[in-house]
Amino acid sequence: MARRYNARGFTLVRWIGLAIALPVLVAVVLLGRNAALVIDSINESALKREAAALERGLKLLGEIHASELLGHALRDEAFRNVVLAHEPGWLRANFGSHALSPEGPQDLVVVGPSGHAIFASRVAGAPAADDANEMLAPAGRAMARARELYRRAHAAGEGFGDRVLDGLNDGIYVTDMALVDGHPAMITVTPFAPESDGHDVPREPTLLVGIQHLTEATLDTVEALADIGDIEHVAETHAQDTGAYTHAVRDADGNVVTHLAWEFTKPGNAVIRAAAPAIALSLLAVLVLTLAGAVTMRRLTRQLADSEAAAVYAARHDMATGLVNRGWFMTALDEAMRDASAGIASSRAVMLIDCDYFKAVNDTLGHAAGDAVLQALASRLKAQGDAVAIAARLGGDEFAVLSAPLAPGEDAAALAERIARILMVPGRFEKYIIPLSVSIGVVAVEMPTESEIDAVLVQADLALYRAKRDGRGCVRAYDAAIDTGPPAATEEALSEGFRRSRSAAA
């Protein structure tokens, strides 16, 4: 019985555990999902910032190149020799076969106001050579933009002082990206104008066009300017291999010139690694608390189940003998009489047992001796094993027995005789040997049956009454022809007593 109630308690614990664990699990999953979203957002923002820093680095590189173009020679001397005298020799003496740059060779083309090249650093022939004009092809957009900016400044008089343009200091330069000879390069175009020395300010500028290839040295400068490490350009066919670490570099028209890749350390991953110990400790604490709650709940449930089982046992059993009480016997007998689930009819014996001379034992040896007699009778009934389906103490010195289904040919009276012989073996109390005597009334009942339980018990009681009348210490089976019983009023009282007992059990 206790096992059944413990099983119910454990089932309750499992449901309570699920009720506790599922919200915790959902909270952990949602926390992990939100943490992943936050980490992805941090990494995405950091990647965008580094891409913007890369663009700023390229822009700063263009400013540096524009400054270098004008810084190779004094502007007054350059104006006299380039704009007025058109002296290529001076250009070669000052700019060399390649323009000098900390990042490596930088090609230089000087374009006159007419739009024709008057000097090219890589061209050994005439200044207007076709090779020089081919060098200018990728720089067409930047040159047009630089001329437009110069004309606006000239028309507005901005940066001219009295009459003369102040060159780079007014930000009149243009940068662009382009493929030159199949390699990505930065194009820098700077309008070239003299300081005030008596010359009129020209309406069309002379342009210094610098072509700086994105070499390893150039990218090292971009790394320093953008504060990004290990930048390298990759071919378009391999751009996808670097995933989110790749940035497309475009020209002024939005066309992709090259892809730059760099080492990107995901700050979100660093955050989660730093927070991992605290998160793990928190989850461990939640797990420990959950397990502690489950263990406590299981212990409390077990205590409640044991307490309930003990209360049920106490309500159904006689505490002095350990046998079931009158109420539970009535319930079990009624169920047995109505149970048709087996589908096979069987005969069972219903016995009422009375301990003879029990009052004399109490009066002479005391109630402790009487309790010893009752316990001895109960123990012997329990020892009958499978022969007895249920044994009960109805109260005082009265007992009742419902046998197991009788074997074919087995007689209810014979079973009662065998039980009587066992019960009447003398018992011991302290130093006394107590002779025991019982009277038994038995009735055989075919089960299942439509008979009323009161009628069956009255028949057994009538048989018991005859056993007492015949001298006690004997067994009598109910016989309708013999057992006329006590007066009708007494029979009605017995029936009413059994009825009250069954109501109490229900």
PDB file of all heavy atoms in Angstrom, residues 279-300:
ATOM      1  N   ILE A 279      28.996  33.050 -16.648  1.00  0.00           N
ATOM      2  CA  ILE A 279      27.771  32.413 -17.144  1.00  0.00           C
ATOM      3  C   ILE A 279      27.704  30.960 -16.691  1.00  0.00           C
ATOM      4  O   ILE A 279      26.659  30.481 -16.230  1.00  0.00           O
ATOM      5  CB  ILE A 279      27.715  32.506 -18.676  1.00  0.00           C
ATOM      6  CG1 ILE A 279      27.581  33.975 -19.116  1.00  0.00           C
ATOM      7  CG2 ILE A 279      26.567  31.685 -19.226  1.00  0.00           C
ATOM      8  CD1 ILE A 279      27.652  34.167 -20.610  1.00  0.00           C
ATOM      9  N   ALA A 280      28.844  30.254 -16.809  1.00  0.00           N
ATOM     10  CA  ALA A 280      28.867  28.854 -16.390  1.00  0.00           C
ATOM     11  C   ALA A 280      28.584  28.731 -14.900  1.00  0.00           C
ATOM     12  O   ALA A 280      27.846  27.835 -14.465  1.00  0.00           O
ATOM     13  CB  ALA A 280      30.224  28.239 -16.730  1.00  0.00           C
ATOM     14  N   LEU A 281      29.159  29.651 -14.112  1.00  0.00           N
ATOM     15  CA  LEU A 281      28.923  29.618 -12.662  1.00  0.00           C
ATOM     16  C   LEU A 281      27.455  29.883 -12.350  1.00  0.00           C
ATOM     17  O   LEU A 281      26.864  29.229 -11.472  1.00  0.00           O
ATOM     18  CB  LEU A 281      29.807  30.652 -11.977  1.00  0.00           C
ATOM     19  CG  LEU A 281      29.770  30.672 -10.446  1.00  0.00           C
ATOM     20  CD1 LEU A 281      30.239  29.322  -9.900  1.00  0.00           C
ATOM     21  CD2 LEU A 281      30.653  31.796  -9.904  1.00  0.00           C
ATOM     22  N   SER A 282      26.845  30.827 -13.090  1.00  0.00           N
ATOM     23  CA  SER A 282      25.424  31.128 -12.869  1.00  0.00           C
ATOM     24  C   SER A 282      24.550  29.927 -13.230  1.00  0.00           C
ATOM     25  O   SER A 282      23.626  29.569 -12.488  1.00  0.00           O
ATOM     26  CB  SER A 282      25.017  32.344 -13.706  1.00  0.00           C
ATOM     27  OG  SER A 282      25.769  33.481 -13.339  1.00  0.00           O
ATOM     28  N   LEU A 283      24.833  29.305 -14.374  1.00  0.00           N
ATOM     29  CA  LEU A 283      24.065  28.128 -14.774  1.00  0.00           C
ATOM     30  C   LEU A 283      24.246  26.991 -13.776  1.00  0.00           C
ATOM     31  O   LEU A 283      23.296  26.265 -13.461  1.00  0.00           O
ATOM     32  CB  LEU A 283      24.489  27.674 -16.176  1.00  0.00           C
ATOM     33  CG  LEU A 283      24.130  28.620 -17.321  1.00  0.00           C
ATOM     34  CD1 LEU A 283      24.669  28.080 -18.643  1.00  0.00           C
ATOM     35  CD2 LEU A 283      22.623  28.824 -17.413  1.00  0.00           C
ATOM     36  N   LEU A 284      25.491  26.837 -13.272  1.00  0.00           N
ATOM     37  CA  LEU A 284      25.740  25.803 -12.276  1.00  0.00           C
ATOM     38  C   LEU A 284      24.941  26.080 -11.012  1.00  0.00           C
ATOM     39  O   LEU A 284      24.369  25.162 -10.410  1.00  0.00           O
ATOM     40  CB  LEU A 284      27.235  25.726 -11.972  1.00  0.00           C
ATOM     41  CG  LEU A 284      27.646  24.678 -10.933  1.00  0.00           C
ATOM     42  CD1 LEU A 284      27.279  23.274 -11.429  1.00  0.00           C
ATOM     43  CD2 LEU A 284      29.143  24.763 -10.656  1.00  0.00           C
ATOM     44  N   ALA A 285      24.910  27.356 -10.607  1.00  0.00           N
ATOM     45  CA  ALA A 285      24.139  27.721  -9.418  1.00  0.00           C
ATOM     46  C   ALA A 285      22.659  27.428  -9.623  1.00  0.00           C
ATOM     47  O   ALA A 285      21.982  26.891  -8.733  1.00  0.00           O
ATOM     48  CB  ALA A 285      24.357  29.199  -9.088  1.00  0.00           C
ATOM     49  N   VAL A 286      22.136  27.778 -10.821  1.00  0.00           N
ATOM     50  CA  VAL A 286      20.721  27.493 -11.119  1.00  0.00           C
ATOM     51  C   VAL A 286      20.472  25.986 -11.098  1.00  0.00           C
ATOM     52  O   VAL A 286      19.465  25.510 -10.545  1.00  0.00           O
ATOM     53  CB  VAL A 286      20.342  28.084 -12.490  1.00  0.00           C
ATOM     54  CG1 VAL A 286      18.957  27.605 -12.918  1.00  0.00           C
ATOM     55  CG2 VAL A 286      20.368  29.604 -12.439  1.00  0.00           C
ATOM     56  N   LEU A 287      21.417  25.215 -11.670  1.00  0.00           N
ATOM     57  CA  LEU A 287      21.264  23.758 -11.692  1.00  0.00           C
ATOM     58  C   LEU A 287      21.273  23.190 -10.281  1.00  0.00           C
ATOM     59  O   LEU A 287      20.444  22.341  -9.930  1.00  0.00           O
ATOM     60  CB  LEU A 287      22.384  23.140 -12.530  1.00  0.00           C
ATOM     61  CG  LEU A 287      22.391  21.610 -12.611  1.00  0.00           C
ATOM     62  CD1 LEU A 287      21.106  21.110 -13.257  1.00  0.00           C
ATOM     63  CD2 LEU A 287      23.607  21.123 -13.384  1.00  0.00           C
ATOM     64  N   VAL A 288      22.222  23.679  -9.465  1.00  0.00           N
ATOM     65  CA  VAL A 288      22.313  23.187  -8.082  1.00  0.00           C
ATOM     66  C   VAL A 288      21.038  23.516  -7.312  1.00  0.00           C
ATOM     67  O   VAL A 288      20.489  22.681  -6.588  1.00  0.00           O
ATOM     68  CB  VAL A 288      23.553  23.779  -7.392  1.00  0.00           C
ATOM     69  CG1 VAL A 288      23.523  23.487  -5.899  1.00  0.00           C
ATOM     70  CG2 VAL A 288      24.819  23.205  -8.001  1.00  0.00           C
ATOM     71  N   LEU A 289      20.563  24.763  -7.473  1.00  0.00           N
ATOM     72  CA  LEU A 289      19.334  25.164  -6.775  1.00  0.00           C
ATOM     73  C   LEU A 289      18.139  24.339  -7.253  1.00  0.00           C
ATOM     74  O   LEU A 289      17.281  23.938  -6.453  1.00  0.00           O
ATOM     75  CB  LEU A 289      19.072  26.655  -6.995  1.00  0.00           C
ATOM     76  CG  LEU A 289      20.060  27.614  -6.305  1.00  0.00           C
ATOM     77  CD1 LEU A 289      19.757  29.054  -6.690  1.00  0.00           C
ATOM     78  CD2 LEU A 289      19.993  27.455  -4.792  1.00  0.00           C
ATOM     79  N   THR A 290      18.082  24.092  -8.569  1.00  0.00           N
ATOM     80  CA  THR A 290      16.984  23.285  -9.099  1.00  0.00           C
ATOM     81  C   THR A 290      17.031  21.867  -8.559  1.00  0.00           C
ATOM     82  O   THR A 290      16.008  21.301  -8.149  1.00  0.00           O
ATOM     83  CB  THR A 290      17.043  23.261 -10.634  1.00  0.00           C
ATOM     84  OG1 THR A 290      16.995  24.610 -11.131  1.00  0.00           O
ATOM     85  CG2 THR A 290      15.888  22.475 -11.209  1.00  0.00           C
ATOM     86  N   LEU A 291      18.248  21.279  -8.544  1.00  0.00           N
ATOM     87  CA  LEU A 291      18.382  19.925  -8.019  1.00  0.00           C
ATOM     88  C   LEU A 291      18.064  19.886  -6.531  1.00  0.00           C
ATOM     89  O   LEU A 291      17.402  18.951  -6.053  1.00  0.00           O
ATOM     90  CB  LEU A 291      19.806  19.411  -8.281  1.00  0.00           C
ATOM     91  CG  LEU A 291      20.157  19.118  -9.743  1.00  0.00           C
ATOM     92  CD1 LEU A 291      21.610  18.683  -9.865  1.00  0.00           C
ATOM     93  CD2 LEU A 291      19.240  18.048 -10.317  1.00  0.00           C
ATOM     94  N   ALA A 292      18.540  20.907  -5.803  1.00  0.00           N
ATOM     95  CA  ALA A 292      18.243  20.957  -4.377  1.00  0.00           C
ATOM     96  C   ALA A 292      16.743  21.069  -4.139  1.00  0.00           C
ATOM     97  O   ALA A 292      16.186  20.407  -3.249  1.00  0.00           O
ATOM     98  CB  ALA A 292      18.971  22.142  -3.729  1.00  0.00           C
ATOM     99  N   GLY A 293      16.078  21.902  -4.949  1.00  0.00           N
ATOM    100  CA  GLY A 293      14.627  22.017  -4.829  1.00  0.00           C
ATOM    101  C   GLY A 293      13.930  20.712  -5.152  1.00  0.00           C
ATOM    102  O   GLY A 293      12.968  20.325  -4.463  1.00  0.00           O
ATOM    103  N   ALA A 294      14.426  20.018  -6.198  1.00  0.00           N
ATOM    104  CA  ALA A 294      13.809  18.744  -6.570  1.00  0.00           C
ATOM    105  C   ALA A 294      14.000  17.703  -5.479  1.00  0.00           C
ATOM    106  O   ALA A 294      13.078  16.951  -5.143  1.00  0.00           O
ATOM    107  CB  ALA A 294      14.404  18.248  -7.896  1.00  0.00           C
ATOM    108  N   VAL A 295      15.238  17.647  -4.902  1.00  0.00           N
ATOM    109  CA  VAL A 295      15.500  16.676  -3.832  1.00  0.00           C
ATOM    110  C   VAL A 295      14.634  16.979  -2.616  1.00  0.00           C
ATOM    111  O   VAL A 295      14.045  16.081  -2.005  1.00  0.00           O
ATOM    112  CB  VAL A 295      16.991  16.694  -3.458  1.00  0.00           C
ATOM    113  CG1 VAL A 295      17.244  15.880  -2.201  1.00  0.00           C
ATOM    114  CG2 VAL A 295      17.834  16.148  -4.614  1.00  0.00           C
ATOM    115  N   THR A 296      14.559  18.276  -2.264  1.00  0.00           N
ATOM    116  CA  THR A 296      13.726  18.659  -1.121  1.00  0.00           C
ATOM    117  C   THR A 296      12.263  18.324  -1.373  1.00  0.00           C
ATOM    118  O   THR A 296      11.568  17.795  -0.498  1.00  0.00           O
ATOM    119  CB  THR A 296      13.882  20.168  -0.844  1.00  0.00           C
ATOM    120  OG1 THR A 296      15.253  20.464  -0.591  1.00  0.00           O
ATOM    121  CG2 THR A 296      13.048  20.587   0.354  1.00  0.00           C
ATOM    122  N   MET A 297      11.803  18.628  -2.596  1.00  0.00           N
ATOM    123  CA  MET A 297      10.417  18.330  -2.937  1.00  0.00           C
ATOM    124  C   MET A 297      10.156  16.822  -2.898  1.00  0.00           C
ATOM    125  O   MET A 297       9.107  16.371  -2.421  1.00  0.00           O
ATOM    126  CB  MET A 297      10.097  18.891  -4.313  1.00  0.00           C
ATOM    127  CG  MET A 297       8.630  18.769  -4.700  1.00  0.00           C
ATOM    128  SD  MET A 297       7.549  19.707  -3.613  1.00  0.00           S
ATOM    129  CE  MET A 297       8.058  21.373  -4.052  1.00  0.00           C
ATOM    130  N   ARG A 298      11.141  16.057  -3.375  1.00  0.00           N
ATOM    131  CA  ARG A 298      10.958  14.603  -3.354  1.00  0.00           C
ATOM    132  C   ARG A 298      10.910  14.089  -1.922  1.00  0.00           C
ATOM    133  O   ARG A 298      10.088  13.220  -1.597  1.00  0.00           O
ATOM    134  CB  ARG A 298      12.102  13.927  -4.103  1.00  0.00           C
ATOM    135  CG  ARG A 298      12.002  12.407  -4.099  1.00  0.00           C
ATOM    136  CD  ARG A 298      12.974  11.778  -5.039  1.00  0.00           C
ATOM    137  NE  ARG A 298      12.844  10.325  -5.042  1.00  0.00           N
ATOM    138  CZ  ARG A 298      13.446   9.527  -5.895  1.00  0.00           C
ATOM    139  NH1 ARG A 298      14.203  10.039  -6.839  1.00  0.00           N
ATOM    140  NH2 ARG A 298      13.306   8.221  -5.823  1.00  0.00           N
ATOM    141  N   ARG A 299      11.789  14.626  -1.055  1.00  0.00           N
ATOM    142  CA  ARG A 299      11.780  14.193   0.335  1.00  0.00           C
ATOM    143  C   ARG A 299      10.454  14.556   1.016  1.00  0.00           C
ATOM    144  O   ARG A 299       9.860  13.740   1.737  1.00  0.00           O
ATOM    145  CB  ARG A 299      12.942  14.827   1.085  1.00  0.00           C
ATOM    146  CG  ARG A 299      13.049  14.341   2.525  1.00  0.00           C
ATOM    147  CD  ARG A 299      14.313  14.834   3.215  1.00  0.00           C
ATOM    148  NE  ARG A 299      14.323  16.282   3.339  1.00  0.00           N
ATOM    149  CZ  ARG A 299      15.091  17.096   2.631  1.00  0.00           C
ATOM    150  NH1 ARG A 299      15.918  16.596   1.724  1.00  0.00           N
ATOM    151  NH2 ARG A 299      15.042  18.402   2.790  1.00  0.00           N
ATOM    152  N   LEU A 300       9.986  15.787   0.767  1.00  0.00           N
ATOM    153  CA  LEU A 300       8.719  16.201   1.363  1.00  0.00           C
ATOM    154  C   LEU A 300       7.559  15.363   0.827  1.00  0.00           C
ATOM    155  O   LEU A 300       6.655  14.978   1.577  1.00  0.00           O
ATOM    156  CB  LEU A 300       8.471  17.689   1.074  1.00  0.00           C
ATOM    157  CG  LEU A 300       9.418  18.676   1.765  1.00  0.00           C
ATOM    158  CD1 LEU A 300       9.124  20.096   1.303  1.00  0.00           C
ATOM    159  CD2 LEU A 300       9.290  18.579   3.278  1.00  0.00           C
TER     160      LEU A 300
END
